[in-house]
């Protein structure tokens, strides 16, 4: 398709600038492929070293595969998904590459709150580009995920410039907002237990105020409920799973707000598949149960786009 050709051309131009010095920290054989842990200097994150993981099925040696980006939740690194989701056989069966970035900048010189909290700062970048003085140099995970990292992947690995995005909790928020803001760059989006309405829950209001300041109009661009209200783009094949036994859903505070998202999508006439899965919690036990379905969902759409 002409869209794919344009992507290839723009990717090619960007590629010259991003044949970055990538340091392979580890290589692990798993299923019928290889998981690599890669370190590089992330310019969008203040020029600090950042780590991502990439899983390449063996078939990558013979053909370019599409990419599914996985965005993890609060406190996670690239390792949580790799170690717990059990996704690699599904990636091989469906012929997709998986890319797992970190959830924030981290390391020497990266600012944070004192005392350290689990739901903000390091390990909790919320997939935004910060504008407040303290955080704007390093906390630009939105730009990192949507531009810098795809440029690196598409310049250094045998992949096609077609991508989908998925994630969990804070990462589900990241996946939904990134796809809704960039429908030209993502074929499909899925999420597990996403934070659907950060503007209305404690996790979100803390993060958005510290990263973006007090202007709540600026928060709307990072809120899936707000974005879907005015969404006019192509069908992103939005696919979400939420466990009914999730303590962040059914506890004292509903941090996730799936019903608000479903209502907003219905009002905006945007198609969404949102499944409430009986009894499952917020953990990787839940994700490992359904990750194969999510990967198959993306692969079907990605391969159809590549073959169009």
């Amino acid at each position: 398709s002409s869209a794919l050709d344009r992507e290839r051309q723009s990717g090619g131009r960007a590629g010259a600038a991003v044949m970055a010095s990538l340091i392979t920290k580890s290589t692990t054989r798993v299923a019928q492929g290889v998981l690599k842990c890669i370190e590089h200097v992330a310019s969008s994150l203040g020029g600090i070293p950042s780590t991502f993981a990439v899983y390449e099925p063996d078939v990558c040696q013979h053909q370019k595969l599409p990419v599914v980006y996985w965005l993890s939740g609060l406190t996670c690194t690239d390792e949580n998904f790799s170690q717990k989701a059990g996704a690699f056989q599904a990636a091989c069966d469906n012929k997709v590459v998986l890319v797992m970035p970190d959830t924030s900048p981290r390391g020497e010189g990266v600012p944070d709150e004192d005392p350290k909290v689990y739901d903000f700062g390091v390990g909790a970048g919320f997939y935004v580009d910060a504008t407040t003085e303290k955080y704007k140099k390093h906390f630009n995970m939105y730009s990192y995920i949507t531009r810098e990292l795809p440029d690196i992947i598409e310049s250094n690995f045998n992949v096609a410039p077609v991508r989908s995005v998925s994630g969990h909790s804070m990462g589900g928020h990241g996946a939904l907002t990134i796809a809704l803001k960039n429908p030209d760059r993502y074929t499909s989006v899925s999420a597990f237990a996403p934070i659907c309405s950060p503007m209305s829950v404690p996790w979100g209001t803390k993060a958005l105020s510290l990263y973006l300041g007090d202007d709540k109009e600026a928060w709307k661009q990072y809120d899936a409920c707000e974005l879907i209200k005015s969404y006019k783009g192509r069908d992103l094949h939005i696919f979400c799973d939420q466990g009914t036994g999730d303590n962040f859903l059914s506890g004292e505070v509903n941090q996730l707000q799936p019903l608000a998202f479903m209502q907003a999508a219905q009002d905006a006439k945007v198609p969404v598949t949102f499944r409430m899965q009986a009894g499952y919690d917020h953990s990787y036990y839940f994700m490992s149960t359904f990750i194969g379905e999510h990967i198959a969902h993306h692969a079907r759409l990605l391969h159809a786009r590549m073959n169009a």
Side-chain angles (χ1 to χ4, degrees):
S1 71
S2 59
L4 206 51
D5 291 338
R6 285 197 299 276
E7 279 278 12
R8 289 194 180 106
Q9 288 161 8
S10 64
R13 284 198 301 276
V18 293
M19 289 302 285
S21 53
L22 304 183
I23 300 167
T24 302
K25 296 173 72 178
S26 66
T27 302
T28 307
R29 180 82 179 153
V30 53
Q32 299 83 51
V34 174
L35 175 68
K36 294 176 182 172
C37 185
I38 309 277
E39 185 181 276
H40 73 112
V41 172
S43 56
S44 8
L45 306 180
I48 53 105
S50 189
T51 299
F52 65 87
V54 56
Y55 180 71
E56 300 171 281
D58 292 340
V59 71
C60 256
Q61 297 167 25
H62 311 292
Q63 67 186 91
K64 288 184 182 292
L65 298 186
V67 182
V68 176
Y69 288 83
W70 173 266
L71 308 183
S72 286
L74 292 168
T75 75
C76 290
T77 68
D78 63 284
E79 294 184 347
N80 299 69
F81 182 83
S82 297
Q83 294 174 358
K84 297 180 180 179
F88 300 124
Q89 189 61 54
C92 294
D93 294 345
N94 290 282
K95 295 184 179 179
V96 295
V97 166
L98 301 178
V99 174
M100 292 74 73
D102 203 343
T103 52
S104 78
R106 67 180 73 229
E108 196 173 338
V110 176
D112 208 338
E113 293 299 286
D114 186 18
K116 170 67 186 154
V117 292
Y118 82 96
D119 55 358
F120 181 81
V122 172
F126 268 85
Y127 305 101
V128 306
D129 281 352
T131 54
T132 53
E133 197 59 38
K134 182 174 179 179
Y135 292 107
K136 67 183 183 183
K137 178 181 177 182
H138 294 92
F139 282 81
N140 298 296
M141 287 300 291
Y142 174 81
S143 289
Y144 179 72
I145 298 296
T146 58
R147 294 290 170 182
E148 183 173 359
L149 185 57
D151 284 351
I152 288 169
I153 297 296
E154 287 160 25
S155 302
N156 293 279
F157 298 90
N158 195 31
V159 301
V162 286
R163 34 192 117 70
S164 293
V165 61
S166 184
H168 167 237
S169 197
M170 176 185 73
H173 141 78
L176 290 171
T177 54
I178 282 169
L180 287 164
K181 285 158 68 79
N182 299 277
D184 56 322
R185 286 181 65 78
Y186 296 91
T187 299
S188 52
V189 56
S190 75
F192 291 85
I195 304 172
C196 295
S197 181
M199 290 183 69
S200 67
V201 301
W203 275 344
T205 53
K206 175 193 281 187
L208 295 173
S209 61
L210 288 169
Y211 286 135
L212 304 176
D214 295 329
D215 177 11
K216 292 190 177 178
E217 279 301 306
W219 298 8
K220 289 182 177 179
Q221 64 180 306
Y222 297 114
D223 185 299
C225 283
E226 293 294 329
L227 290 169
I228 208 164
K229 285 177 185 176
S230 57
Y231 184 71
K232 298 286 187 280
R234 45 172 283 280
D235 184 2
L236 284 162
H237 307 280
I238 298 169
F239 179 41
C240 301
D241 276 322
Q242 169 68 59
T244 63
D246 189 321
N247 59 305
F248 296 112
L249 177 72
S250 56
E252 282 183 27
V253 179
N254 177 354
Q255 296 269 24
L256 306 173
Q257 300 292 330
L259 295 179
F261 182 71
M262 285 185 253
Q263 186 65 56
Q266 185 176 348
D267 292 346
K269 297 181 169 56
V270 178
V272 168
T273 300
F274 209 120
R275 308 188 301 187
M276 300 300 290
Q277 301 283 10
Y280 291 93
D281 63 15
H282 198 71
S283 77
Y284 272 91
Y285 291 118
F286 167 48
M287 284 174 274
S288 67
T289 304
F290 298 106
I291 191 66
E293 290 181 53
H294 283 242
I295 288 173
H297 171 77
H298 294 302
R300 176 175 61 83
L301 296 158
L302 289 163
H303 288 294
R305 185 164 186 206
M306 286 177 66
N307 296 329

